């Protein structure tokens, strides 16, 4: 399969009215934040960072913040059945609610995006304590997902006002080499990809940098379409997937059915040493999709010379793809909850700025085998 990405030639540089400094945090609504936070610590190597709950004056929910290099993940659980977050969990199971973006000016980010048609989630407001000030605001995106704009003045405390430092003196673990969020992918409904592409273009000033149609992303049985949206400086990338017609059910349809709507399909986390990271994650219990060993038979013919030894890649099931600018190594986890919804990608970029198109077929066949085992194909 041709692995040269389709660069959108119409994407032109424009004034970046919404300058983003990257992903500030990702917040998950989960049934049991205490246990979820422990999984991300013990398996993925995140470190305890901050806590908010009844002991800090937040009576109706608890949040644990874990951190690894530039990534902050927040796990939140409501304490009462009639809490709105309980309804979110009832509808979706565990999933991502917030993709928070770091900005210089959260008030202007909210004003500009809502003036361009974005639906407000939270008006700009200041959070203060003895450690300083954070200003946040937010808008809705696909499904029930929201973008929170985070303006960190000179905040010196743990995470945000309202949180206290979270320490666990009797348990520690090591990081796994995960560095930052590379991209976050959304699954949207039938014929909803282009409206959401338009949203990111018009409301947030993103541009469409890559397009995959159902000829690029199809196996014998199922298909999907995808457009990659990027902000001006390229720090924030949101591919948007929608299902396409195939002989059998698309993986995006399976997601929409089990998540009961649109939502975040996967978060890609970058590493500088994927062999080390995946070795660690696997030994700590993370489960990954496996491609057939025949994938490696003609690897060098497909991607040319690479710096890594073949054997560890083959042993760990790491995939390789090349574009005009370099190559990348990647691997996808199985869903990290019982519903076949959210999963993670581990990615190491060696020049390549694309998303592994050359691996789509092998990858989606691996996903279909799992779908088949679940009886959802
Ligand atoms: Fe990805």
């Amino acid at each position: 399969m041709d692995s040269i990405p389709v660069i959108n030639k119409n994407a032109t540089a424009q004034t970046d009215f919404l300058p983003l400094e990257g992903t500030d945090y990702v917040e998950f609504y989960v049934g049991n934040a205490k246990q979820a936070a422990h999984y991300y610590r013990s398996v993925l190597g995140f470190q305890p960072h901050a806590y908010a709950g009844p002991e800090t004056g937040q009576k109706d929910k608890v949040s644990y913040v874990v951190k690894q290099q530039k990534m902050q993940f927040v796990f939140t659980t409501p304490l009462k059945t009639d809490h709105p977050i309980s309804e979110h969990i009832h509808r979706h199971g565990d999933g991502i609610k917030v993709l928070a973006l770091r900005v210089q000016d959260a008030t202007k980010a909210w004003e500009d995006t809502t003036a361009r048609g974005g639906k407000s989630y939270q008006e700009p407001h200041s959070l203060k304590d003895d450690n300083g000030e954070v200003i946040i605001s937010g808008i809705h995106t696909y499904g029930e997902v929201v973008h929170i704009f985070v303006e960190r003045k000179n905040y010196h405390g743990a995470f945000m006002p309202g949180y206290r430092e979270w320490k666990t003196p009797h348990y520690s673990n090591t990081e796994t080499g995960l560095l930052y969020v590379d991209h976050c992918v959304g699954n949207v409904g039938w014929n909803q990809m282009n409206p959401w592409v338009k949203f990111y273009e018009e409301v947030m000033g993103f541009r469409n940098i890559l397009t995959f149609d159902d000829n690029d992303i199809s196996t014998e049985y199922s298909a999907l379409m995808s457009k990659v949206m990027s902000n001006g400086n390229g720090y924030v990338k949101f591919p948007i997937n929608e299902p396409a017609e195939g002989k059998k059910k698309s993986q995006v349809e399976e997601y929409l059915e089990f998540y009961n709507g649109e939502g975040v399909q996967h978060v890609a986390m970058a590493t500088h040493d994927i062999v080390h990271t995946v070795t660690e994650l696997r030994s700590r219990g993370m489960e990954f999709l496996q491609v057939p060993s025949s994938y490696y038979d003609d690897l060098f013919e497909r991607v040319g010379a690479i710096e890594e030894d073949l054997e560890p890649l083959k042993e760990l099931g790491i995939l390789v793809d090349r574009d005009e600018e370099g190559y990348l190594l990647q691997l996808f986890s199985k869903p990290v909850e019982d519903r076949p919804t959210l999963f993670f990608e581990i990615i190491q970029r060696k020049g390549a700025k694309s998303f592994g198109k050359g691996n789509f077929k092998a990858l989606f066949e691996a996903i279909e085998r799992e779908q088949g085992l679940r009886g959802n194909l």
Side-chain angles (χ1 to χ4, degrees):
M1 186 186 284
D2 172 19
S3 66
I4 304 299
V6 183
I7 303 290
N8 181 358
K9 300 277 193 300
N10 296 323
T12 52
Q14 52 182 278
T15 313
D16 193 1
F17 68 87
L18 183 62
L20 302 175
E21 298 174 342
T23 303
D24 190 278
Y25 69 89
V26 178
E27 183 168 7
F28 302 68
Y29 282 175
V30 297
N32 188 337
K34 181 179 277 191
Q35 290 191 6
H38 197 270
Y39 174 89
Y40 284 80
R41 293 179 62 198
S42 58
V43 176
L44 286 104
F46 282 78
Q47 303 297 312
H49 182 48
Y51 169 83
E55 302 86 345
T56 66
Q58 179 175 270
K59 297 291 182 198
D60 61 344
K61 60 178 183 175
V62 293
S63 294
Y64 297 81
V65 186
V66 298
K67 195 167 180 169
Q68 184 163 188
Q69 300 299 315
K70 288 187 172 172
M71 290 187 291
Q72 302 189 102
F73 283 4
V74 183
F75 299 94
T76 297
T77 290
L79 294 174
K80 293 282 172 63
T81 307
D82 60 359
H83 195 286
I85 298 176
S86 297
E87 287 160 27
H88 190 281
I89 295 166
H90 175 70
R91 281 192 293 278
H92 304 297
D94 289 3
I96 290 177
K97 174 66 181 179
V98 181
L99 297 173
L101 305 167
R102 182 88 54 93
V103 296
Q104 282 287 333
D105 187 338
T107 305
K108 185 174 182 300
W110 182 87
E111 286 171 354
D112 285 349
T113 51
T114 55
R116 288 165 177 261
K119 188 178 156 207
S120 176
Y121 174 68
Q122 271 181 347
E123 291 189 14
H125 57 284
S126 163
L127 303 170
K128 278 184 191 164
D129 67 14
D130 294 344
N131 294 307
E133 180 183 13
V134 175
I135 297 174
I136 61 170
S137 63
I139 60 169
H140 290 268
T141 178
Y142 52 83
E144 290 198 72
V145 181
V146 299
H147 291 311
I148 301 281
F149 301 116
V150 183
E151 173 185 345
R152 296 185 176 276
K153 294 281 189 188
N154 292 308
Y155 192 67
H156 301 299
F159 191 55
M160 271 190 202
Y163 287 76
R164 71 176 187 202
E165 201 178 349
W166 178 31
K167 286 186 174 167
T168 55
H170 305 296
Y171 175 74
S172 66
N173 63 331
T174 54
E175 296 193 345
T176 55
L178 296 170
L179 300 169
Y180 58 87
V181 171
D182 185 275
H183 60 274
C184 297
V185 180
N187 277 343
V188 299
W190 291 96
N191 304 312
Q192 291 303 302
M193 178 179 69
N194 285 327
W196 285 108
V197 163
K198 201 165 167 244
F199 166 87
Y200 280 106
E201 283 172 347
E202 292 181 356
V203 173
M204 297 186 66
F206 282 42
R207 60 199 175 92
N208 173 216
I209 56 165
L210 284 171
T211 294
F212 306 105
D213 65 21
D214 47 345
N215 293 320
D216 296 321
I217 316 182
S218 69
T219 64
E220 189 187 347
Y221 295 122
S222 67
L224 64 85
M225 295 190 284
S226 187
K227 286 189 176 177
V228 181
M229 305 307 294
S230 171
N231 83 314
N233 60 19
Y235 290 175
V236 178
K237 290 185 281 294
F238 294 143
I240 308 289
N241 298 336
E242 73 172 27
E245 291 289 354
K247 282 187 198 163
K248 294 193 177 180
K249 188 186 282 181
S250 165
Q251 54 170 292
V252 179
E253 275 182 277
E254 187 196 35
Y255 176 100
L256 294 169
E257 182 182 319
F258 281 86
Y259 198 67
N260 195 19
E262 301 177 341
V264 177
Q265 180 210 38
H266 75 266
V267 174
M269 302 184 286
T271 171
H272 289 327
D273 185 351
I274 197 166
V275 170
H276 164 73
T277 295
V278 173
T279 300
E280 280 294 316
L281 294 174
R282 202 164 77 157
S283 72
R284 298 179 191 201
M286 194 153 196
E287 296 179 314
F288 293 98
L289 289 176
Q290 199 70 40
V291 295
S293 63
S294 59
Y295 170 87
Y296 297 93
D297 292 350
D298 59 349
L299 184 70
F300 296 129
E301 283 95 276
R302 279 190 286 118
V303 304
I306 58 173
E307 291 171 2
E308 291 71 17
D309 292 332
L310 181 62
E311 272 315 306
L313 300 182
K314 199 171 169 180
E315 154 68 18
L316 296 166
I318 293 166
L319 311 176
V320 190
D321 193 27
R322 183 178 287 278
D323 66 21
E324 289 152 314
E325 293 170 279
Y327 67 99
L328 61 82
L329 304 113
Q330 64 187 166
L331 185 56
F332 296 81
S333 79
K334 292 186 180 180
V336 290
E337 56 288 295
D338 291 303
R339 296 194 195 196
T341 53
L342 178 73
F343 60 88
F344 288 98
E345 173 181 350
I346 313 301
I347 186 166
Q348 181 179 4
R349 294 186 180 278
K350 293 202 147 177
K353 295 198 178 76
S354 54
F355 294 82
K357 179 177 162 183
N359 292 324
F360 286 173
K361 190 167 163 42
L363 176 66
F364 295 152
E365 284 170 352
I367 291 176
E368 278 174 10
R369 282 193 292 277
E370 300 284 322
Q371 257 181 280
L373 291 171
R374 292 190 284 262
N376 295 335
L377 191 59

